[in-house]
Amino acid sequence: MTDPRATLDRLSAGYQDAVILLTANHLGIFGALAGEPQTVTDLAHELDLDPRALDRILCALAGQGILDQTSPGTFALRQEYRPMLDPDGPETMHSILDHHFHLLERWVKLADVARTGNPARDRTEPRSERSLRAFICGMKDISRRSSEEVADALPETGQCRRMLDLGGGPGTSAITF
């Protein structure tokens, strides 16, 4: 049986790991570390970030096992995470993670939504261009795998004369098929 206190501790602090991951992705840290290891100073300069704050984020990501600290003050993206966290990786999750970053603002307003019944986001205000792009490309990130699985399960698509892609994100299913 799970210890109730441990469960509550894990659930109540779970946002911390998510915020660190999503913020690092949003700031471009993973893309910058997709190549060679970098020092905090060089990375802070490249991304126009505060070196001390960046060091805290990098140390937290190393503690989560996403980064390796190759020497004091030098970090690298772990190989097994590179395909998913490199924005140009073959299995990238960059856009869906950025979409989740943009959703954070709404999730912290859940208590207000429960009190008022009003949505967390004013629907009359358009999404920012970056938020909209993260959503659309995020749909591509999450539909890529399922589209490949469906395409593998279908008979040869060359036998099909027509195909209708409904809800395939930005054409991900049609492109895959």
Side-chain angles (χ1 to χ4, degrees):
M1 180 173 184
T2 305
D3 173 25
R5 181 173 298 279
T7 298
L8 293 176
D9 286 343
R10 179 182 51 81
L11 290 173
S12 67
Y15 70 93
Q16 295 168 352
D17 287 336
V19 169
I20 293 165
L21 173 72
L22 298 176
T23 299
N25 181 74
H26 183 74
L27 293 174
I29 292 171
F30 299 130
L33 288 175
E36 297 296 315
Q38 289 201 46
T39 66
V40 173
T41 304
D42 289 344
L43 194 57
H45 180 73
E46 179 183 338
L47 299 174
D48 195 27
L49 300 172
D50 177 78
R52 185 171 181 266
L54 177 60
D55 182 63
R56 300 298 185 270
I57 293 170
L58 297 175
C59 286
L61 290 166
Q64 292 172 340
I66 295 171
L67 301 182
D68 283 324
Q69 188 168 9
T70 58
S71 63
T74 302
F75 294 86
L77 181 58
R78 291 188 66 166
Q79 189 67 33
E80 62 267 30
Y81 289 102
R82 198 165 283 156
M84 295 167 280
L85 293 178
D86 178 354
D88 298 321
E91 300 171 42
T92 189
M93 295 175 64
H94 172 75
S95 293
I96 194 62
L97 293 175
D98 205 34
H99 173 58
H100 286 292
F101 175 85
H102 292 286
L103 290 177
L104 284 174
E105 184 178 356
R106 288 193 260 170
W107 277 99
V108 298
K109 296 178 182 176
L110 184 57
D112 292 335
V113 171
R115 282 188 198 98
T116 66
N118 295 326
R121 182 174 77 85
D122 183 354
R123 298 278 185 195
T124 62
E125 291 182 31
R127 285 182 172 175
S128 71
E129 186 175 321
R130 185 166 184 180
S131 172
L132 183 59
R133 179 172 179 75
F135 170 73
I136 292 169
C137 293
M139 296 304 100
K140 176 181 147 194
D141 287 353
I142 62 174
S143 68
R144 182 184 317 104
R145 182 179 301 183
S146 62
S147 295
E148 290 169 358
E149 290 170 358
V150 170
D152 289 343
L154 291 175
E156 283 295 315
T157 54
Q159 298 172 7
C160 299
R161 292 184 356 183
R162 293 188 181 109
M163 183 178 295
L164 177 62
D165 178 4
L166 295 175
T172 306
S173 296
I175 292 167
T176 301
F177 297 157

